[in-house]
Amino acid sequence: MDGIVSLREAVAELVHDGDSVALEGFTHLIPSAAAHEIVRQELKDLTLIRMTPDLIYDQMIGMGCARGLVFSWGGNPGVGSLHRFRDAVENGWPHPLEIEEHSHAGMANRYVAGASNLPFAVLRGYVGTDLPKVTDTIAPVTCPFTREEFMAVPALHPDVGIIHAQQADRSGNVALWGITGIQKEVVLSARRSIVTVEELVEEFEPRPHQVVLPSVAVGAIAVVPGGAHPSYAHGYYPRDNAFYEAWDPIGRDRDAFRGWMERHVLGTEDFAEYIESLVQEGVGRR
Amino acid sequence: MDGIVSLREAVAELVHDGDSVALEGFTHLIPSAAAHEIVRQELKDLTLIRMTPDLIYDQMIGMGCARGLVFSWGGNPGVGSLHRFRDAVENGWPHPLEIEEHSHAGMANRYVAGASNLPFAVLRGYVGTDLPKVTDTIAPVTCPFTREEFMAVPALHPDVGIIHAQQADRSGNVALWGITGIQKEVVLSARRSIVTVEELVEEFEPRPHQVVLPSVAVGAIAVVPGGAHPSYAHGYYPRDNAFYEAWDPIGRDRDAFRGWMERHVLGTEDFAEYIESLVQEGVGRR
Amino acid sequence: MSSGANRYTTDEMMTVAAARELRDGVLCFVGIGLPSEAANLARATHAPNCNLVYESGTIGAKPEVLPHSIGDGELAEHADSVVPIPEIFSYWLQTGRIDVGFLGAAQIDRFANINTTVIGDYGSPKVRLPGAGGAPEIAASAKEVILMLRHSRRAFVEELAFVTSVGYLDGSDARSKLRYLGAGPTVVITDLGILRPDPQTKELTLTQLHPGATAEEAREATGWELRVADEVGETDPPDEKELHTLRELREKTEAANKETQVLRELHARIGAARKR
Amino acid sequence: MSSGANRYTTDEMMTVAAARELRDGVLCFVGIGLPSEAANLARATHAPNCNLVYESGTIGAKPEVLPHSIGDGELAEHADSVVPIPEIFSYWLQTGRIDVGFLGAAQIDRFANINTTVIGDYGSPKVRLPGAGGAPEIAASAKEVILMLRHSRRAFVEELAFVTSVGYLDGSDARSKLRYLGAGPTVVITDLGILRPDPQTKELTLTQLHPGATAEEAREATGWELRVADEVGETDPPDEKELHTLRELREKTEAANKETQVLRELHARIGAARKR
């Protein structure tokens, strides 16, 4: 599936039960709308991949979409815990979650290896820590020139890579700028990809630290203004810090969480309705 | 040596006889002025590193600056041979040249490994070719996960990395745009670095496909307008295709070459005088 | 938490003490929270050329308000450069370019090893913590590491449930066998005082107390028998300028946050986009 | 080189024949010279959505004049994206995304192996050629490779002095043992005709002759006993549109070059900069 479609179609067509799915965006441009659509379509048994599982992963995990989680830092940035993630790991609710954990550097290298079509990447790290004891996907490799030993990590090849970007043009090229994180590598390492964007434009203007993904690298594109809320879209809207704080009590309680998700996500048709429903209720209410 | 200095000072201070020196710029932003300054200061025994040795390497080799050459493609693009390079390899003139040759992919990976502070990089390539038979710096490595075998190449860490860029600001940040090649990795992999720029500006404007090297990564900066001629500086001046063609007969003949270098490079104080001298003589004359 | 007459909180004391550890001109890898406050306080006071690197990819960030996350737009806006995530780890951290890395911790042990992964058994943890993030490689590759965490028996433990990031392993020259680029944690700043590793054994030693705190309090709040230096110094309390600057920074941050009604603005924007 | 009545050169025939091999919409890795002409001719005629990738990092390049080097500014100006060199090799070529790679050669052998390194002994060569460049990995990873070179005994040799890039090694399934991503050279276009590998043995076989050329000429110009297909087709001569488009492309290129007086403009610019 290529070109510009609705997010509902993109998810229905490209994401299947049991897939490994990476939704990336490092604090910036987090693809919230796509995560909600995955919840709405009640996808199951997903292996969720993400350096920094945050609210959207808390939501997908709490709603039972995930069988596994591959990650490097799972918290609510600046606020505290991801309670649904913790409940899954600590109490197996709504069901147990297999976890595979790395450091940020390890995850970044895994995406780079995937985008480079190499089965592994090498980095300075992990030795001396307990991570290799609990994570199978860390193994030593020796430099054939210096004979030094390093740790290797295997490539990531998500079935679906999902990102949010500021703009797409009508040829299907995608532009993002500001903090661009690992988005390029996610799209290039994935077997299929979905990009949600703030808007379609005729032509990209030069922007500071801009990354342009050429159309040949991009799968489905869906226009979803605001689709990164509560994270931000540089040049469009700021981070909704209040929402991250408001999430803490919502996520903390199973019933409050479930009710909130039913009202705002399952009970709405799309992201615009979700935002509408949040505004009407007031953010802080559980 | 940090900050903004003259090119003469930068080369005198940072480049020494016997150094390994990488002057990079992939068809675009080739640091010609810096190469000429190396010739003027009669540096010797250099190991010259560059993916695409072109006219400036022909000149440094022909003037006896080089002991060795690490490269992947040595020609006059769109014209033909580099005759000084060939004369050195085929006839040992002005003296023999040790060569270490790779593919472009191999060289690019070597710079990336250098910039990443890893002793080696891995790629899909080389197997089946004769390159591993003549180049020691290619060795097999096995993926610890899949057990597949790949070829590895060792990191490059030039003593000095030299590039040309469009702009620097007064804090010493450097901006280049258009085709940005391997320049970032050269500066980051090198022990010391020199950047020549077209001009100093107060602030960078966003440009398409721009790379900004932060000041902490950059060594000496010298302002040399036109310093990439006969290659080009995107947004400043185009490639001088006529000069590349005119170089063929000059480079072909030892005496013509030597005379030309004496008149235009050794006989001038700096790059501005060199351009002046070329204009006065007319490009085509040997 | 205000410490009475001096009119500053223990958090403020921690932040000020950490800021003072930063020399001007250093390249500093910053996490969010107290470390970010400390680094920005240093930049606003004695270390104007302190170069802040955030793991989101911003190099030479110059935030005017304190970021809430390590990837706020504020950080990219005025940075010298912004690079993709793979580069910040491979080209910047892994090369040993970073002079100082700031880390927090849920638990540390006497050799400044760090746990941010789990409390209890890994397979069925009592508390699942966020995990490693950038910490293991910061601890490995930054030339030195400044640790900041509040003193308590829950945090300062005899044995870590999990070693997420390495300090000095079991002390002495154990760390050097790992061929890490960095020297390891050179200072631990708590709400009670400052600990530094013993030059030989690398065991954390209380070398300094903040005003009003006692060595006894620190011993009480430590889960192992805490070494205390023969001569324990006293931290200078935050001076007027430090306190004023820190509070101004916080006020600016709060004001900036109050101004934005993100959700309402977004709602209006989406409505407008639909009409088009 | 004009072939008389038909009024086209053998180079033009080669370029047109190569252009015809490109299907619309393919992702094509282009070198400079005839390949670039062919790819741009295809884009201007039957394959408007042919996506040109140059090893300098330009993806979806849309040059309006023919570039002189694989890194001309013209290529970056209208590209969909421009990526650094490491990415073009790691993220684009090495992934097997490229549908068609164009290569030239100084020498090829009967199994379409390629030499662009040396003639004679490697240590003391008779002719030192430019070397590998991007060719070994294009030959390895592009889904198919189109080879373009003029037919002569110097170029079509019994044994290569050096294997720079792999075609089919010694034929049959030898290539598959290398676990390369691409199928290898699927066509060799010369000034006399077109050769394709035998499906079983992979030996290059003359399957098509350009108008006016004979199998005898091709045999004469080949340094091994050339296999000729039972039925040798004849290439359609360049049609009006192909010739017209190709020549217009060349004229535009020459005009663009004549316009620029780079050195004089640079001289003026430097003079002006000095006065400031």
Side-chain angles (χ1 to χ4, degrees):
Chain A
M1 176 179 270
D2 265 27
I4 292 147
V5 297
S6 75
L7 179 56
R8 184 185 300 175
E9 287 173 274
V11 170
E13 184 81 16
L14 299 179
V15 190
H16 316 124
D17 287 347
D19 276 354
S20 60
V21 185
L23 297 93
E24 284 286 358
F26 201 85
T27 27
H28 181 209
L29 296 172
I30 296 177
S32 305
H36 285 179
E37 193 52 38
I38 285 172
V39 171
R40 271 189 209 102
Q41 298 192 13
E42 300 183 60
L43 284 152
K44 294 275 172 268
D45 288 325
L46 302 179
T47 295
L48 294 175
I49 307 170
R50 182 172 162 79
M51 293 178 67
T52 54
D54 60 354
L55 307 200
I56 59 171
Y57 275 48
D58 216 30
Q59 293 168 358
M60 288 189 288
I61 291 166
M63 294 302 284
C65 301
R67 183 184 56 197
L69 178 68
V70 182
F71 77 110
S72 41
W73 192 88
N76 180 343
V79 179
S81 290
L82 291 177
H83 299 289
R84 295 299 95 227
F85 158 63
R86 283 186 55 180
D87 204 8
V89 175
E90 294 170 13
N91 309 307
W93 192 93
H95 48 68
L97 186 69
E98 289 166 29
I99 61 173
E100 176 182 335
E101 71 182 298
H102 280 267
S103 67
H104 280 351
M107 286 292 284
N109 271 287
R110 296 186 69 184
Y111 281 122
V112 169
S116 305
N117 191 28
L118 289 172
F120 71 110
V122 176
L123 68 154
R124 291 181 183 272
Y126 289 123
V127 287
T129 77
D130 285 342
L131 284 161
K133 294 181 194 164
V134 300
T135 303
D136 291 339
T137 46
I138 302 170
V141 67
T142 300
C143 172
F145 303 104
T146 65
R147 311 313 304 172
E148 287 170 282
E149 194 177 276
F150 295 90
M151 286 299 185
V153 288
L156 282 169
H157 287 292
D159 292 317
V160 195
I162 302 179
I163 65 166
H164 185 76
Q166 281 103 331
Q167 298 176 342
D169 68 15
R170 297 194 186 273
S171 313
N173 302 299
V174 167
L176 54 158
W177 66 89
I179 289 171
T180 53
I182 193 77
Q183 278 95 317
K184 182 191 276 191
E185 285 75 15
V186 170
V187 169
L188 293 177
S189 66
R191 294 186 176 88
R192 305 183 289 281
S193 63
I194 300 173
V195 181
T196 56
V197 296
E198 288 296 324
E199 62 173 339
L200 282 184
V201 297
E202 287 306 315
E203 204 169 350
F204 301 139
E205 281 169 43
R207 306 283 185 170
H209 318 299
Q210 186 170 42
V211 165
V212 176
L213 296 171
S215 58
V216 282
V218 176
I221 295 173
V223 182
V224 187
H229 177 273
S231 82
Y232 68 107
H234 205 121
Y236 288 80
Y237 47 89
R239 191 168 190 270
D240 191 350
N241 295 314
F243 188 91
Y244 280 89
E245 278 165 30
W247 182 252
D248 187 77
I250 299 166
R252 198 180 284 272
D253 183 90
R254 289 178 187 173
D255 292 336
F257 164 76
R258 184 81 210 177
W260 194 95
M261 290 298 289
E262 277 168 5
R263 287 202 303 289
H264 299 300
V265 179
L266 296 180
T268 57
E269 286 290 308
D270 60 19
F271 203 71
E273 279 195 15
Y274 158 81
I275 293 285
E276 173 94 38
S277 122
L278 283 191
V279 168
Q280 285 186 357
E281 188 176 275
V283 172
R285 300 232 350 242
R286 303 195 204 172
Chain B
M1 176 181 270
D2 266 27
I4 291 147
V5 297
S6 75
L7 179 56
R8 186 185 300 173
E9 288 173 274
V11 170
E13 183 82 16
L14 298 179
V15 190
H16 316 126
D17 288 347
D19 276 354
S20 60
V21 185
L23 297 92
E24 283 287 358
F26 201 86
T27 32
H28 180 210
L29 297 172
I30 296 177
S32 305
H36 285 179
E37 193 53 35
I38 286 172
V39 170
R40 270 190 210 102
Q41 298 193 15
E42 299 183 56
L43 284 153
K44 294 274 172 269
D45 288 326
L46 302 178
T47 296
L48 294 175
I49 307 171
R50 184 172 161 79
M51 292 178 67
T52 53
D54 61 353
L55 307 201
I56 58 170
Y57 275 48
D58 217 30
Q59 293 168 357
M60 289 189 288
I61 291 166
M63 294 302 284
C65 302
R67 184 184 56 198
L69 178 68
V70 182
F71 77 110
S72 42
W73 193 86
N76 180 344
V79 179
S81 291
L82 291 177
H83 300 288
R84 295 299 95 226
F85 158 62
R86 282 187 55 180
D87 204 8
V89 175
E90 294 169 12
N91 310 307
W93 191 93
H95 48 70
L97 186 69
E98 289 165 29
I99 61 173
E100 176 182 335
E101 71 182 299
H102 280 267
S103 67
H104 280 350
M107 287 292 283
N109 271 287
R110 297 186 69 185
Y111 281 121
V112 169
S116 305
N117 192 28
L118 290 172
F120 71 109
V122 176
L123 68 153
R124 290 181 185 272
Y126 288 124
V127 287
T129 78
D130 284 343
L131 284 161
K133 294 181 192 163
V134 300
T135 302
D136 291 338
T137 47
I138 302 170
V141 67
T142 300
C143 172
F145 304 104
T146 65
R147 312 312 306 173
E148 287 171 280
E149 194 177 274
F150 296 90
M151 285 300 184
V153 288
L156 282 169
H157 288 292
D159 292 317
V160 195
I162 302 178
I163 66 166
H164 186 76
Q166 282 103 331
Q167 299 176 341
D169 68 15
R170 297 195 187 272
S171 314
N173 302 300
V174 167
L176 54 159
W177 66 88
I179 289 171
T180 53
I182 192 79
Q183 279 95 317
K184 181 191 276 192
E185 285 75 17
V186 170
V187 168
L188 292 177
S189 67
R191 294 185 177 88
R192 303 183 290 280
S193 64
I194 300 173
V195 181
T196 56
V197 296
E198 289 295 324
E199 61 172 340
L200 283 184
V201 297
E202 287 305 317
E203 206 170 346
F204 300 141
E205 282 170 43
R207 307 282 185 169
H209 317 299
Q210 186 171 40
V211 166
V212 176
L213 295 170
S215 58
V216 283
V218 175
I221 295 173
V223 182
V224 187
H229 176 272
S231 82
Y232 68 107
H234 205 121
Y236 286 81
Y237 47 90
R239 191 168 191 269
D240 191 349
N241 294 315
F243 188 91
Y244 280 88
E245 277 164 32
W247 183 253
D248 188 76
I250 298 166
R252 199 180 283 271
D253 182 88
R254 289 178 187 173
D255 293 336
F257 164 75
R258 183 81 209 178
W260 193 94
M261 290 299 288
E262 277 167 6
R263 288 202 302 289
H264 299 300
V265 179
L266 296 181
T268 56
E269 287 289 308
D270 60 18
F271 203 70
E273 279 195 13
Y274 158 83
I275 293 286
E276 173 93 38
S277 125
L278 282 189
V279 168
Q280 285 187 358
E281 188 177 275
V283 172
R285 302 246 332 254
R286 302 195 205 172
Chain C
M1 293 265 282
S2 160
S3 58
N6 291 320
R7 294 167 178 281
Y8 59 86
T9 66
T10 51
D11 270 14
E12 283 171 338
M13 183 69 256
M14 276 179 80
T15 299
V16 166
R20 290 175 186 159
E21 294 284 328
L22 280 183
R23 297 176 305 282
D24 197 17
V26 296
L27 194 56
C28 177
F29 208 92
V30 194
I32 225 58
L34 292 184
S36 182
E37 272 197 6
N40 281 293
L41 175 58
R43 210 170 61 80
T45 53
H46 67 282
N49 300 308
C50 175
N51 194 312
L52 306 191
V53 178
Y54 286 79
E55 67 189 5
S56 55
T58 56
I59 297 165
K62 299 162 196 73
E64 288 174 9
V65 302
L66 297 169
H68 274 69
S69 78
I70 38 75
D72 276 23
E74 180 69 16
L75 297 174
E77 205 73 69
H78 309 286
D80 289 341
S81 191
V82 180
V83 302
I85 294 275
E87 288 187 22
I88 206 73
F89 289 105
S90 294
Y91 290 0
W92 288 84
L93 186 54
Q94 184 165 264
T95 52
R97 287 174 193 279
I98 302 296
D99 295 305
V100 179
F102 267 111
L103 289 177
Q107 295 184 329
I108 64 167
D109 66 16
R110 72 179 71 209
F111 294 115
N113 301 297
I114 296 169
N115 174 18
T116 54
T117 302
V118 286
I119 309 288
D121 178 57
Y122 183 80
S124 54
K126 219 171 90 194
V127 182
R128 174 64 226 197
L129 301 165
E137 285 79 20
I138 295 171
S141 294
K143 286 181 194 144
E144 21 182 301
V145 169
I146 299 176
L147 269 166
M148 293 180 79
L149 79 168
R150 291 184 191 87
H151 228 126
S152 82
R153 278 186 175 259
R154 283 200 329 182
F156 285 64
V157 299
E158 178 69 40
E159 195 170 356
L160 296 181
F162 193 93
V163 178
T164 314
S165 304
V166 171
Y168 299 101
L169 289 178
D170 50 359
S172 299
D173 65 344
R175 180 184 168 96
S176 66
K177 288 171 192 147
L178 302 178
R179 294 181 300 108
Y180 280 161
L181 300 171
T186 49
V187 57
V188 179
I189 293 167
T190 83
D191 47 348
L192 298 178
I194 293 179
L195 296 79
R196 297 187 194 269
D198 178 88
Q200 259 68 55
T201 66
K202 304 296 183 192
E203 183 173 338
L204 288 177
T205 308
L206 181 72
T207 58
Q208 206 170 312
L209 283 161
H210 300 325
T214 65
E216 199 42 46
E217 275 181 275
R219 278 204 191 88
E220 284 285 321
T222 303
W224 66 85
E225 202 176 320
L226 179 65
R227 278 196 51 177
V228 177
D230 296 341
E231 283 181 41
V232 176
E234 183 174 291
T235 314
D236 287 336
D239 67 24
E240 273 309 303
K241 192 185 172 194
E242 287 166 332
L243 266 189
H244 177 76
T245 310
L246 176 56
R247 287 171 185 174
E248 207 176 51
L249 208 53
R250 284 183 180 166
E251 274 159 28
K252 268 201 288 186
T253 305
E254 269 167 44
N257 273 324
K258 269 188 194 134
E259 268 169 38
T260 53
Q261 288 280 342
V262 185
L263 203 54
R264 289 198 177 279
E265 280 168 25
L266 205 53
H267 184 237
R269 178 194 289 270
I270 293 169
R274 278 186 160 180
K275 274 180 203 130
R276 256 186 272 131
Chain D
M1 293 264 283
S2 161
S3 58
N6 290 321
R7 293 167 180 279
Y8 59 86
T9 67
T10 49
D11 269 14
E12 284 171 336
M13 183 70 257
M14 276 179 82
T15 300
V16 166
R20 289 173 187 162
E21 294 284 328
L22 279 184
R23 296 177 305 285
D24 196 17
V26 295
L27 194 56
C28 177
F29 209 91
V30 194
I32 226 58
L34 293 184
S36 182
E37 273 198 4
N40 280 294
L41 174 59
R43 210 170 60 80
T45 53
H46 67 281
N49 300 308
C50 175
N51 194 313
L52 307 191
V53 178
Y54 287 79
E55 67 188 4
S56 54
T58 55
I59 297 165
K62 300 161 195 73
E64 288 174 9
V65 303
L66 298 169
H68 273 70
S69 78
I70 37 76
D72 276 22
E74 179 70 16
L75 298 173
E77 205 74 68
H78 308 286
D80 288 342
S81 191
V82 180
V83 301
I85 294 274
E87 288 186 21
I88 206 73
F89 289 105
S90 295
Y91 289 0
W92 288 85
L93 186 54
Q94 184 166 263
T95 53
R97 287 175 193 280
I98 302 296
D99 296 306
V100 180
F102 268 111
L103 289 177
Q107 295 184 329
I108 65 167
D109 66 15
R110 73 178 70 209
F111 294 115
N113 301 299
I114 296 169
N115 174 19
T116 54
T117 303
V118 286
I119 310 288
D121 178 57
Y122 183 79
S124 54
K126 220 172 88 191
V127 182
R128 174 64 227 196
L129 302 165
E137 284 79 20
I138 295 171
S141 295
K143 285 179 196 147
E144 24 183 297
V145 169
I146 299 176
L147 268 166
M148 294 180 78
L149 79 168
R150 293 184 190 86
H151 228 127
S152 82
R153 280 186 174 259
R154 282 201 326 180
F156 286 65
V157 298
E158 178 69 40
E159 195 170 358
L160 296 181
F162 193 94
V163 178
T164 315
S165 304
V166 171
Y168 298 101
L169 289 179
D170 49 357
S172 299
D173 65 346
R175 180 184 168 98
S176 66
K177 288 171 192 146
L178 303 178
R179 293 182 299 109
Y180 280 159
L181 300 171
T186 49
V187 57
V188 180
I189 294 166
T190 83
D191 47 347
L192 299 178
I194 292 178
L195 296 80
R196 298 187 193 267
D198 178 89
Q200 260 68 57
T201 66
K202 304 295 183 193
E203 183 173 337
L204 289 176
T205 308
L206 182 72
T207 57
Q208 207 168 310
L209 283 161
H210 300 326
T214 65
E216 199 42 44
E217 275 180 275
R219 279 204 191 87
E220 284 285 319
T222 302
W224 68 85
E225 201 174 320
L226 179 65
R227 279 197 50 176
V228 178
D230 296 341
E231 283 183 42
V232 176
E234 182 174 290
T235 315
D236 288 335
D239 67 23
E240 273 309 303
K241 191 183 173 196
E242 287 166 331
L243 266 190
H244 177 76
T245 309
L246 176 57
R247 288 171 184 174
E248 206 175 50
L249 209 52
R250 285 183 180 165
E251 275 159 28
K252 267 202 286 184
T253 306
E254 269 166 45
N257 275 323
K258 271 191 194 132
E259 270 169 35
T260 54
Q261 289 280 341
V262 186
L263 203 54
R264 290 197 176 280
E265 280 168 24
L266 205 52
H267 184 237
R269 179 193 287 269
I270 292 169
R274 278 186 158 180
K275 276 184 202 127
R276 260 186 269 133

